[in-house]
Amino acid sequence: MMARVPLIAGNWKMNKTVGEALRLVDEMLPGLQAVQGVEKLLCPPAIAIMPVAAMLEGKGIGLGAQNLHWEKDGAYTGELSTAMVAEFCQYVIVGHSERRALFGDSDLNVHRKVTAALAAGLKPVLCIGETLEQNEAGRAAEVLSAQLRAALEGVQINSAEALVVAYEPVWAIGTGKAASPEPINTLLRNVVRPTLAGLLGQELAEGVRVLYGGSVNAANAGEYFAQPEVDGALVGGASLKAADFLAITQAAA
Ligand code: PGA
């Protein structure tokens, strides 16, 4: 089996002005650079991408956008195209539950965004996850595999590194109610990875990083990374504090 390099991604969401973003990067940069064997990724708000890119130049830390539009250009007020993102970023978060719930990221639009990102050479961090209601109805497995199929049906990737999946139970995001690590591992092993294998083929599916996201913090991160199917984390709240994000990154090493 191909060894999967852990990935720790910070999703800053709508937090930090450009000035604050630069101070945060400055604070965490030396510590992050010192962590070996872990890929690190920062996803600041769109307006901070360019100045953060300049700070990260040559530092071995990845940069990602939080969203993009699938059309090449045109009358899409407020949107960013893949080419605009790809000028500065290697990654883009697609289908985050907040965007699905609040901004019209339907399964179809998520598919369009994944396809457009890959075509532009960007690596999508494809977010999937069930709501509390779906979880309580015992429908997590069904929802996760349906979201994966909708996003990835007919999608081609050339290498396993080209795609990252983030499993984020909606009820665990920003709530402090982190999901228990063992059931997460079971879902990833029995549902997510086999669904990926059906879509991408066994070999590529074995190499795709699958992250956990939802109230990951410095105290609980190690328990997730101890799970063989968890290849890192998509971190929201705790990525806004240098010491916390650094501790999570160190826990993955
Ligand atoms: P959280 O957010 O770590 O604040 O729960 C995770 C995410 O939404 O990616």
Side-chain angles (χ1 to χ4, degrees), residues 170-185:
V170 177
W171 45 274
I173 296 177
T175 58
K177 289 185 194 138
S180 305
E182 290 84 13
I184 296 291
N185 192 66

Side-chain angles (χ1 to χ4, degrees), residues 7-16 24 28 40-46 49 62-67 91-99 125-127 166 168 173-174 211-216 233-241 245 248-249:
L7 172 65
I8 305 299
N11 173 13
W12 295 4
K13 308 190 181 183
M14 196 177 74
N15 294 290
K16 306 290 176 189
L24 179 59
M28 53 170 75
K40 305 132 219 169
L41 171 63
L42 303 180
C43 303
I49 285 175
L63 188 59
Q66 298 175 13
N67 183 37
Y91 285 89
V92 59
I93 298 172
V94 175
H96 190 279
S97 65
E98 287 151 16
R99 295 216 58 92
V125 178
L126 168 63
C127 300
E168 302 201 298
I173 296 177
L211 315 181
Y212 168 74
S215 299
V216 173
L234 182 55
V235 186
S239 73
L240 300 172
K241 293 191 196 110
F245 190 64
I248 293 167
T249 307

Side-chain angles (χ1 to χ4, degrees), residues 18-222:
V18 169
E20 290 165 347
L22 295 181
R23 282 194 288 281
L24 179 59
V25 173
D26 192 49
E27 216 185 318
M28 53 170 75
L29 202 49
L32 285 182
Q33 280 194 281
V35 180
Q36 302 291 312
V38 179
E39 192 179 341
K40 305 132 219 169
L41 171 63
L42 303 180
C43 303
I47 200 166
I49 285 175
M50 212 174 115
V52 168
M55 272 189 94
L56 294 182
E57 178 113 48
K59 300 290 196 294
I61 293 165
L63 188 59
Q66 298 175 13
N67 183 37
L68 49 64
H69 197 280
W70 58 87
E71 292 291 349
K72 276 200 163 53
D73 49 37
Y76 301 99
T77 301
E79 295 294 303
L80 297 177
S81 73
T82 54
M84 293 170 191
V85 172
E87 216 173 349
F88 300 100
C89 297
Q90 305 79 47
Y91 285 89
V92 59
I93 298 172
V94 175
H96 190 279
S97 65
E98 287 151 16
R99 295 216 58 92
R100 290 182 191 259
L102 303 171
F103 301 105
D105 269 6
S106 62
D107 278 341
L108 175 60
N109 288 351
V110 170
H111 178 86
R112 289 167 163 153
K113 290 180 181 192
V114 167
T115 307
L118 287 168
L122 286 163
K123 301 174 193 176
V125 178
L126 168 63
C127 300
I128 56 171
E130 83 286 359
T131 62
L132 181 61
E133 197 183 11
Q134 290 164 335
N135 183 279
E136 285 175 346
R139 294 183 50 217
E142 172 201 329
V143 170
L144 298 183
S145 68
Q147 287 177 341
L148 282 173
R149 278 185 273 108
L152 297 175
E153 198 82 72
V155 166
Q156 307 271 350
I157 55 171
N158 300 323
S159 78
E161 289 75 33
L163 174 71
V164 174
V165 172
Y167 170 43
E168 302 201 298
V170 177
W171 45 274
I173 296 177
T175 58
K177 289 185 194 138
S180 305
E182 290 84 13
I184 296 291
N185 192 66
T186 306
L187 261 184
L188 299 187
R189 188 187 59 227
N190 294 348
V191 178
V192 173
R193 191 102 28 212
T195 307
L196 286 174
L199 291 158
L200 306 170
Q202 187 72 32
E203 202 183 318
L204 285 170
E206 286 294 339
V208 168
R209 267 90 53 91
V210 181
L211 315 181
Y212 168 74
S215 299
V216 173
N217 59 40
N220 66 20

